[in-house]
Amino acid sequence: MTTICKADYYYGALLSALVNGGLAPALFEKENDSRQIYTVTTNKASYIIYTKYHTTPSGSEDFTWSFTFSDNEMQEIINVHQGNSDKTLIFAFICGQKQVIDYNQIIAIVYWDEFVACVDVNKKQSRGTPRLSVKAVKGSPRFRIYGSKRADMLDGKDNTIRIERNRLKTL
């Protein structure tokens, strides 16, 4: 008998969004439930999508999901990026909640340059656990991302990177 684990629901949501958008993803690698890696080819480019999900946001009106990366995951990300120069590495952060409501489940697509602006992949500048946070401001057409390398506020001003909510449709 096949059992369905919680991760299947979240990765299934990404796969559904990709297929409904006319794409045919293939599983690139699966080692555990903490992340998935897919390959997708569109008429624009070939992608490797590094995927993680989180179901416990902070905040009550504007939600923030924080994704942490172990040393092994960081090394894996570097290896995937360096070992697949013919494909573009992007990240899909599946931001869910335990209470499923249409507006509180999101997928944030983050490009490599935005990821490295938020997370010190070589651990030269930041201390502690590598982290990327996705903030969904209610009513905003963009998500805000920041991380262990990039503070959300700097000198009292917003220091986040703003990314479009509908990036998945532009692949």
Side-chain angles (χ1 to χ4, degrees), residues 33-48:
D33 288 340
S34 70
R35 63 100 184 108
Q36 294 277 11
I37 301 175
Y38 299 99
T39 59
V40 174
T41 300
T42 70
N43 59 354
K44 295 179 186 176
S46 291
Y47 300 97
I48 293 181

Side-chain angles (χ1 to χ4, degrees), residues 5 12 15 19-20 22 29 38 41 47 71 83 88 96 122 128-129 133 142 161 167:
C5 64
L15 292 173
V19 169
N20 289 337
E29 184 178 331
Y38 299 99
T41 300
Y47 300 97
D71 289 341
T88 302
N122 297 316
T129 303
S133 294
R142 292 184 171 83
I161 297 172
R167 279 187 168 175

Side-chain angles (χ1 to χ4, degrees), residues 112-130:
W112 174 257
D113 60 329
E114 296 163 337
F115 182 80
V116 298
C118 295
V119 179
D120 186 6
V121 295
N122 297 316
K123 291 188 109 180
K124 292 181 180 174
Q125 296 176 341
S126 62
R127 288 180 234 148
T129 303

Side-chain angles (χ1 to χ4, degrees), residues 28-91:
F28 179 74
E29 184 178 331
K30 177 181 172 65
E31 286 182 9
N32 57 48
D33 288 340
S34 70
R35 63 100 184 108
Q36 294 277 11
I37 301 175
Y38 299 99
T39 59
V40 174
T41 300
T42 70
N43 59 354
K44 295 179 186 176
S46 291
Y47 300 97
I48 293 181
I49 304 175
Y50 189 98
T51 307
K52 287 188 76 146
Y53 77 91
H54 198 313
T55 59
T56 315
S58 61
S60 58
E61 178 116 353
D62 298 334
F63 297 112
T64 302
W65 293 264
S66 291
F67 296 86
T68 58
F69 300 89
S70 68
D71 289 341
N72 288 342
E73 287 175 311
M74 291 305 299
Q75 189 58 55
E76 176 181 58
I77 289 168
I78 291 167
N79 291 345
V80 167
H81 182 254
Q82 291 174 347
N84 294 280
S85 59
D86 59 327
K87 294 177 177 68
T88 302
L89 176 61
I90 59 174
F91 299 84

Side-chain angles (χ1 to χ4, degrees), residues 2-12 30 32-33 36 53:
T2 302
T3 57
I4 299 172
C5 64
K6 182 170 84 169
D8 293 332
Y9 290 100
Y10 295 102
Y11 297 128
K30 177 181 172 65
N32 57 48
D33 288 340
Q36 294 277 11
Y53 77 91

Side-chain angles (χ1 to χ4, degrees), residues 9-10 55 96-105:
Y9 290 100
Y10 295 102
T55 59
Q97 292 192 34
K98 292 179 176 138
Q99 289 284 49
V100 177
I101 302 170
D102 286 345
Y103 68 86
N104 70 359
Q105 312 294 316

